[in-house]
Amino acid sequence: MKELLVIGAGNIGRGVIGGLFFESGYHLYFYDVMADRMRRLKEQGTYLVERVGADERRRIRVKDFEVLDSSDPADLIEHMKHMDLIACCVYEGAFADICRNLKEAIAYRAEHDAEPLNILLCVNALGAPDYFETELTKMLEGNEKASVYLKEKTGISQVLVGMAAMPSPQELLDEDAFAVSTRMDGHIEIDEDTFLGELPEVKQASRVKQGRAQIYQRVYCGNMKHCMLAFLGKAKGYTYIRDTYDDEWIEDCSLGAFYEADAAIQAEYQFDEEDHQEWIASNVNAPKNRNLQDMLSRVAADPKKKLSRNNRFVGPALLCIKHHILPFYLAKGIAYGFLYREESDPASVEITDYVEKYGIEKALETYCGLGEEEWELRQLIAVQYKEACKLR
């Protein structure tokens, strides 16, 4: 029987990974720290995934799954000991706990000469595979057999999730509180350089090379562009991402930032040019799905994280500086990030209040981690911020 352990049963874990693997004949095991919610999912026994396309909708009822006991990690560790395929669909804050649990499971698997273990990191956290490898190596130090198993029989693979998932419309949630809406035409890509053995045959899944580098391409270009739509859209008074599609100014700015980031990424990692051009085309020419009710507030949530030094705006802007590319539009995106305010988002309130009290220059140091040596980028953002304030 084909089995998958999914750690993190949010929209990506249930809607994207769970949905695609279920459609491909996998029996699923879900683990999530939200104990009460997982208890209700277990009692319900099924949940809906609604794939939304430009011209159609399709529903999938996921039902071949089990929910693990999340009252303590014992049940999770026990399944890790015997499952050969694990998908992590969590935020960075959970990485350390997962590694501690994997340490116990890997030690057991090594002692019992178990089959290879593949861990799919379905996360947009930059450098996630390196983090897992480094932490597990340190944790298993002194256990020679387990260290060998980690090195030779554990595949830690980046997964590029290209299928947007978001909370469902209220009418669907009224029907099923666990329903998830996703793009119909999305896909996932598994890094074949680190996966051990044959890749799983999964609907809308493919293999990719240089997955650890391509996550930077995904976050610095694709995720950045999506978030920039939200920052600029908020300034224009829009509510949904789809509201920005007919705004030429937003389109020009977001594409400008995309091409700046892409040029820097290509200079840094030098992807195959044919693959590179195909990737650009798939992003720039992708059909706009106006059926998705993707709120700006969801996409722009927690701007403290999104404006941090190594994240989706400042990261590619610094890479541009490194490769002598002017990050004009990226700086504009950062500037509008500091103007983004959503009263229900504490991080955005904190940032805008801070700028008002201390000024943009101090905010760039506090939230973006930009020091005096990065004066070029600081100056560019400050000018863009002042210009944006004039247009409000």
Side-chain angles (χ1 to χ4, degrees), residues 81-97:
K81 290 177 180 178
H82 304 287
M83 301 282 295
D84 298 334
L85 188 61
I86 299 172
C88 295
C89 311
V90 299
Y91 291 110
E92 294 173 72
F95 286 3
D97 284 340

Side-chain angles (χ1 to χ4, degrees), residues 56-69:
E56 61 176 320
R57 296 172 184 266
R58 179 169 61 87
R59 286 187 176 186
I60 303 148
R61 182 166 291 280
V62 180
K63 54 188 176 180
D64 189 15
F65 67 85
E66 298 176 35
V67 176
L68 305 191
D69 178 10

Side-chain angles (χ1 to χ4, degrees), residues 224-225 228-229 232-233 236 238 244-261 284 288 327-333 336 384:
M224 176 279 301
K225 180 174 178 285
M228 191 163 181
L229 294 178
L232 300 185
K236 285 291 196 80
Y238 300 138
T244 69
Y245 291 162
D246 297 318
D247 191 306
E248 292 185 8
W249 175 73
I250 292 180
E251 179 77 0
D252 288 344
C253 291
S254 61
L255 279 177
F258 175 89
Y259 283 118
E260 289 168 0
V284 173
K288 295 179 171 62
F328 177 86
Y329 288 104
L330 284 165
K332 186 182 291 291
Y336 275 89
Q384 293 276 21

